[in-house]
Amino acid sequence: MSQVDFPPKCGKRALITGITGQDGSYLTELLLSKGYEVFGIIRRSSSFNTTRIDHIYQDPHATDRRLVLIYGDLSDGSSLNRIVRDVQPHEIYNLGAQSHVRVSFDTPEYTADITGLGTIRLLEAIRESAQSCKFYQASSSELYGNAPAPQNELTPFDPRSPYAAAKAYSFYITRNYREAYGMFAVNGILFNHESPRRGETFVTRKITRAVANIKQGRQKKLYLGNLDARRDWGFAKEYVAAMWKMLQQPEPDDYVIATGETHSVQEFVEAAFGHAGLEWRDFVEIDPKYFRPSEVNILLGDATKAERELGWKAETTFSQLVQLMVESDMHEVKLEIEGKGR
Ligand code: NAP
Ligand code: F7E
């Protein structure tokens, strides 16, 4: 049952793929706070996959509920057609993806199917339903690969993984449907964004979780790959507001969303261990299994256009982000030790 009170309905319906992910959970909170009815596509799994949205889940029998979860899958065009036809959303946010870059080298065909073809299935579902519906595509800074930094909307793409190649297809097909069919379809080219809800196999969360475990004596070593890679890391909660703003513009367009600062993985490690009063060199080991067949060396976004046209700017600094993630994991690990964790 929901632990949150929502404002009166605003008359808008949003459909979200990837609602159970990091961004989907923050976006759902944002849209509910604006009075939207939110419909989320979840896939069937053998264990619960709704942990990130359990706090806003609503009893399906409640007559005034604002959040509805529907089974579907980006690999299943017929489910997408049916859901779009039934829900008749005003806005669709396509956040669903096989989103792990390293894993995309192990599952390239699956990644192409979900992260690439899933987008065309959804766009076709909109076209076939003949509704006017705004469409947000979760594009990624991975598209830039090793293109020179700083990267903005005019920087040529250089995809360096099966994930980035699949996202490139989705980027261009979204733009094509805008140009060919006059759809309100936009790409948000988001640079890395993190939070306490980040998946635990992405490097930031892997580090902050390890710091908390090491501090409590539950873990001895942290094995990482390339410490020299540099990323433009922002706070996910702020980034979903940019997604919404893109769909409220008078004309559809593509936008870079980033902080404009870049830091190495090693700098993140130093800051996270430092925050817990630990010396990182005592705990971190390099395991080549985490190296990527082709790496993206430096990402640094230039979000000038988003600031000018959307009035959006990143607020949380790198050190604040590291601190809030470390403190959240320390708290979570402590609860687990006390037997009160999830
Ligand atoms: P995430 O936490 O990995 O969430 C991915 C979501 O996609 C989950 O809800 C997942 O469902 C769902 N999904 C996976 N396969 C699916 C399928 N076959 N059918 C339907 N849904 C499926 O990712 P995120 O960090 O929130 O990112 C959201 C989107 O932005 C992704 O498209 C990602 O590629 C993109 N992006 C992320 C970043 C970033 O730094 N976070 C930057 C740029 C772009 P389960 O929960 O069942 O696994
Ligand atoms: O890696 C290095 C790794 O997996 C960041 C996704 O949300 O952002 C994300 O992709 C860097 C890379 O994120 C480990 O080699 C070192 O250089 O946290 P990550 P990512 O690959 O940047 C983009 C924008 C997306 O769109 C994606 O969906 O960290 N690294 N050691 C490591 N990375 C991981 N995962 N694990 C390590 O042990």
Side-chain angles (χ1 to χ4, degrees):
M1 191 74 87
S2 172
Q3 302 159 15
V4 187
D5 285 331
F6 301 119
K9 286 184 189 174
C10 70
K12 279 192 175 177
R13 286 182 301 282
L15 176 64
I16 303 178
T17 73
I19 193 167
T20 54
Q22 170 188 254
D23 291 5
S25 66
Y26 284 119
L27 180 65
T28 302
E29 288 172 353
L30 178 78
L31 295 176
L32 290 172
S33 77
K34 291 182 181 297
Y36 279 68
E37 278 178 273
V38 178
F39 296 78
I41 298 181
I42 57 166
R43 51 187 185 152
R44 194 268 159 185
S45 74
S46 65
S47 52
F48 289 118
N49 58 358
T50 55
T51 335
R52 293 186 181 101
I53 50 171
D54 281 348
H55 62 294
I56 44 173
Y57 178 74
Q58 294 175 309
D59 184 341
H61 304 102
T63 48
D64 61 344
R65 72 183 166 140
R66 303 292 168 80
L67 174 59
V68 179
L69 302 179
I70 309 167
Y71 281 113
D73 199 296
L74 283 164
S75 65
D76 183 359
S78 60
S79 70
L80 300 176
N81 281 327
R82 175 176 41 77
I83 292 167
V84 170
R85 203 178 49 234
D86 290 352
V87 171
Q88 300 201 0
H90 300 91
E91 297 171 6
I92 296 184
Y93 296 85
N94 184 29
L95 311 184
Q98 191 302 93
S99 70
H100 203 286
V101 175
R102 178 65 193 82
V103 171
S104 78
F105 287 98
D106 301 327
T107 60
E109 193 177 328
Y110 175 75
T111 303
D113 189 18
I114 304 309
T115 308
L117 293 181
T119 307
I120 189 70
R121 293 188 186 106
L122 205 45
L123 285 165
E124 275 296 283
I126 298 171
R127 208 161 71 85
E128 284 174 20
S129 74
Q131 298 160 33
S132 90
C133 160
K134 295 182 177 180
F135 180 80
Y136 174 89
Q137 170 57 23
S139 286
S140 163
S141 53
E142 278 296 299
L143 292 168
Y144 294 119
N146 281 340
Q151 296 99 1
N152 67 19
E153 294 81 1
L154 301 176
T155 306
F157 293 154
D158 172 27
R160 283 176 62 76
S161 64
Y163 168 79
K167 283 285 183 188
Y169 173 77
S170 287
F171 176 93
Y172 285 117
I173 202 68
T174 298
R175 193 178 259 190
N176 176 246
Y177 272 48
R178 176 164 87 217
E179 292 169 357
Y181 303 117
M183 273 190 195
F184 195 112
V186 308
N187 286 288
I189 310 171
L190 272 53
F191 282 61
N192 298 54
H193 44 282
E194 319 293 314
S195 74
R197 298 184 195 172
R198 185 58 141 152
E200 291 174 20
T201 61
F202 295 98
V203 78
T204 55
R205 187 76 200 288
K206 182 172 167 182
I207 295 166
T208 59
R209 182 89 191 154
V211 165
N213 277 327
I214 288 169
K215 192 76 184 168
Q216 291 289 350
R218 297 209 305 182
Q219 187 173 334
K220 288 194 165 39
K221 292 283 176 198
L222 168 61
Y223 294 94
L224 293 173
N226 178 12
L227 299 187
D228 295 329
R230 302 183 72 87
R231 290 292 182 273
D232 180 329
W233 279 297
F235 181 30
K237 193 172 181 179
E238 292 168 7
Y239 282 46
V240 300
M243 299 175 185
W244 177 78
K245 280 173 179 271
M246 285 178 215
L247 293 194
Q248 315 312 311
Q249 293 307 295
E251 299 296 332
D253 204 349
D254 305 324
Y255 295 91
V256 159
I257 299 297
T259 69
E261 261 191 46
T262 188
H263 295 273
S264 67
V265 173
Q266 183 168 319
E267 283 166 25
F268 196 104
V269 167
E270 287 168 5
F273 279 83
H275 189 67
L278 298 169
E279 170 49 50
W280 70 275
R281 286 181 197 278
D282 295 340
F283 304 100
V284 174
E285 305 264 341
I286 302 302
D287 182 341
K289 105 173 166 200
Y290 296 114
F291 291 153
R292 294 170 183 190
S294 46
E295 176 65 285
V296 169
N297 299 321
I298 167 163
L299 291 175
L300 168 61
D302 168 9
T304 308
K305 180 177 168 186
E307 185 172 359
R308 189 178 61 241
E309 296 184 13
L310 305 178
W312 183 91
K313 198 175 184 324
E315 304 280 346
T316 306
T317 65
F318 174 74
S319 61
Q320 286 168 338
L321 177 67
V322 176
Q323 183 174 335
L324 74 86
M325 289 180 69
V326 169
E327 283 176 6
S328 168
D329 274 324
M330 299 264 222
H331 179 66
E332 210 168 275
V333 165
K334 200 161 157 279
L335 288 180
E336 283 170 20
I337 289 169
E338 290 167 0
K340 297 181 200 149
R342 284 197 298 229

